[in-house]
Amino acid sequence: MGAGWGARIAAAFSAPIPPEEAVPASGDAPGTPWWRRFGVWFPLAVYAVTRLIDAVYFAIMQRSQIPMVPGNGAARVIFPTPAGPGYWPVMANWDGQWYHEIASLGYPDPIPTDPVTGKVVQNPWAFYPVFPMLTRALMWATGADFYVAGALLSTVVGAVAMVLLFRLVDRAAGRWSAIVATVATTTWVAAPVLQTTYTEACALLVIVLFLTALRGRRYGWVLVTLVALALTRNLVLIAAPVLIVHLLVRWLRRDTDPLPVRHSITVGALTVLSGVLTFLWPTICRLVTGDKDGYTKTMAAWGVDAFEIKLHTWIDYVYYDYGYLGWAVALAGLVWFARMMLSPVTARWGPELWGWVGAYPAYQILVTGIGPSRIRYALLAWPVFLLLAWILNRPRWRARRGRLLAAYAVVLVALQGWWVWNYWVILYLGPDVQFP
């Protein structure tokens, strides 16, 4: 019975791409130049159109932004901007101020403290170094200021990420799924962040590279991407369950797809390392500042406890805003999601995409509390959009799937304007201000 169970799981994760994934007129003739290949021009075209629309949103809506000056009582400002600061400065709103400081001045040593209480105050050590340091290098190489260098870096990195995302999904799940994943990611409500001075574009690229390297069994590159992720966002721990699923499926397939002992040891070591790398940035903070608890104290200044489980905040939020009906709807959604995750529909994506779809949302619900930033965090759960591809590809919708996807994209791009206005552009500062 055990062998049969394992064989069924292995078969589900090894299922071929179904014929209904095919998309007419999306193939490339042999010898087609790389820039004319569908897998290159399509994701770049969708990305360019959505970023241009969002640029219009930013350019128009920034006219209503208030002056950002130090001592405003709500947001830390060390690089003041006037009212209606223009497109480039508005790209550095909110946490962009911190990245601006890091790119211009580096990380402080010693860690800043309150002169009265002696407690650590909010400071740049809470922000991971890959994006600001790449921006600093670009500023040095080009002479551009932070606003232009940071925004352009994010925009270009996001474009590269979308091309590689399309290629990964195309090979793992099929052409239609790749199209939907690309469109849904670039039109996600918070996707405008991909052209701002935030870390989402860099994190998206590193995650796509990690999943691609793992799927291709390039374990040396997996190590590189794990280190990069550990220095980009505090997400590297999520790689552990993905690596475990990858190794488990390889073990179940071992009769038809040999699993060398060295691969088992390597993937096991990478799994452990993904947990250890969670402490890489805190360790760097400790070595630079000499304060063994510097990172923990820094996060505490934001009221963040890295070891606190935040699930209760989601449960409370749903109840307080929507009552028992909210709980019922949320439970029904979780049951449906769990059922889909345990079905051949999602298993055929391969253990890497399947693992990220399960691990990333679980991590966010358990580790991050409720708040508007979760809309932005959801962007990195992009493989979830493969479920949308499956829904639109059902027999009753298949003939109209292209039109339905286009309608979905139009609605979401419209909502991007709502996100820019409500969460990005700073219209006022007060205790109840909404932030991205």
Side-chain angles (χ1 to χ4, degrees):
M1 182 175 179
W5 173 79
R8 287 194 297 272
I9 294 177
F13 278 102
S14 306
I17 295 174
E20 58 266 23
E21 278 286 332
V23 177
S26 69
D28 299 312
T32 302
W34 66 267
W35 64 87
R36 294 178 59 186
R37 294 174 186 170
F38 187 85
V40 175
W41 71 258
F42 177 80
L44 286 180
V46 175
Y47 184 80
V49 169
T50 50
R51 298 292 72 76
L52 285 171
I53 293 172
D54 291 338
V56 173
Y57 287 149
F58 282 120
I60 294 174
M61 295 177 184
Q62 61 82 25
R63 299 171 184 170
S64 300
Q65 178 157 307
I66 63 174
M68 294 300 295
V69 295
N72 58 65
R76 183 175 182 273
V77 175
I78 64 171
F79 300 97
T81 57
Y87 177 83
W88 297 110
V90 86
M91 293 296 96
N93 276 0
W94 303 106
D95 288 349
Q97 284 275 333
W98 292 105
Y99 293 120
H100 194 168
E101 179 178 352
I102 297 165
S104 301
L105 306 174
Y107 288 91
D109 178 25
I111 295 177
T113 57
D114 186 289
V116 177
T117 65
K119 292 184 177 180
V120 170
V121 296
Q122 294 180 357
N123 68 83
W125 283 104
F127 299 90
Y128 286 62
V130 164
F131 170 73
M133 288 303 160
L134 286 176
T135 302
R136 182 172 185 159
L138 187 60
M139 292 164 62
W140 175 83
T142 65
D145 62 21
F146 172 79
Y147 303 119
V148 175
L152 287 181
L153 175 65
S154 286
T155 304
V156 172
V157 168
V160 175
M162 292 313 307
V163 172
L164 297 180
L165 183 154
F166 184 97
R167 185 176 69 172
L168 170 62
V169 178
D170 190 27
R171 295 176 177 179
R175 179 57 53 95
W176 170 247
S177 291
I179 289 173
V180 173
T182 300
V183 172
T185 301
T186 56
T187 61
W188 176 242
V189 178
V193 77
L194 293 173
Q195 63 205 81
T196 71
T197 60
Y198 266 46
T199 62
E200 263 68 24
C202 287
L204 177 62
L205 176 59
V206 174
I207 290 165
V208 171
L209 289 173
F210 162 69
L211 295 172
T212 300
L214 185 60
R215 184 174 184 272
R217 303 176 185 178
R218 299 182 180 93
Y219 298 125
W221 285 110
V222 170
L223 172 60
V224 173
T225 59
L226 288 177
V227 174
L229 187 57
L231 295 175
T232 302
R233 288 277 287 272
N234 187 19
L235 299 174
V236 69
L237 184 62
I238 304 173
V242 181
L243 286 158
I244 291 171
V245 173
H246 170 85
L247 181 58
L248 176 61
V249 172
R250 285 206 64 187
W251 183 81
L252 292 173
R253 293 172 177 167
R254 65 193 184 280
D255 291 339
T256 56
D257 182 9
L259 174 61
V261 173
R262 69 179 185 279
H263 283 191
S264 298
I265 295 173
T266 299
V267 177
L270 288 170
T271 303
V272 174
L273 186 62
S274 65
V276 174
L277 284 173
T278 300
F279 302 97
L280 176 59
W281 183 237
T283 300
I284 292 173
C285 177
R286 175 181 181 176
L287 293 174
V288 172
T289 66
D291 188 334
K292 65 182 180 66
D293 298 317
Y295 180 78
T296 302
K297 294 175 183 176
T298 295
M299 298 311 296
W302 263 274
V304 175
D305 181 354
F307 299 100
E308 180 187 358
I309 300 299
K310 307 294 196 307
L311 177 60
H312 66 92
T313 65
W314 295 85
I315 297 173
D316 293 343
Y317 163 74
V318 171
Y319 176 74
Y320 290 142
D321 277 31
Y322 305 103
Y324 291 113
L325 178 60
W327 275 358
V329 172
L331 181 60
L334 287 172
V335 170
W336 179 82
F337 181 75
R339 179 183 177 187
M340 294 303 298
M341 288 299 293
L342 296 174
S343 74
V345 169
T346 56
R348 74 169 186 83
W349 303 339
E352 299 78 26
L353 291 176
W354 186 90
W356 190 264
V357 169
Y360 183 84
Y363 178 86
Q364 292 302 326
I365 291 174
L366 292 174
V367 175
T368 66
I370 192 69
S373 294
R374 281 62 196 166
I375 303 174
R376 172 168 56 89
Y377 295 168
L379 180 67
L380 299 181
W382 58 267
V384 171
F385 294 131
L386 298 186
L387 289 172
L388 174 63
W390 174 78
I391 292 171
L392 295 179
N393 216 12
R394 302 294 291 163
R396 65 180 300 184
W397 305 114
R398 191 172 300 148
R400 293 172 288 170
R401 64 183 184 179
R403 295 191 297 274
L404 291 171
L405 179 61
Y408 169 89
V410 169
V411 173
L412 267 291
V413 169
L415 289 176
Q416 288 179 345
W418 166 84
W419 184 86
V420 170
W421 179 256
N422 281 276
Y423 295 121
W424 192 265
V425 174
I426 303 173
L427 304 175
Y428 80 103
L429 290 172
D432 60 342
V433 65
Q434 297 291 305
F435 51 89

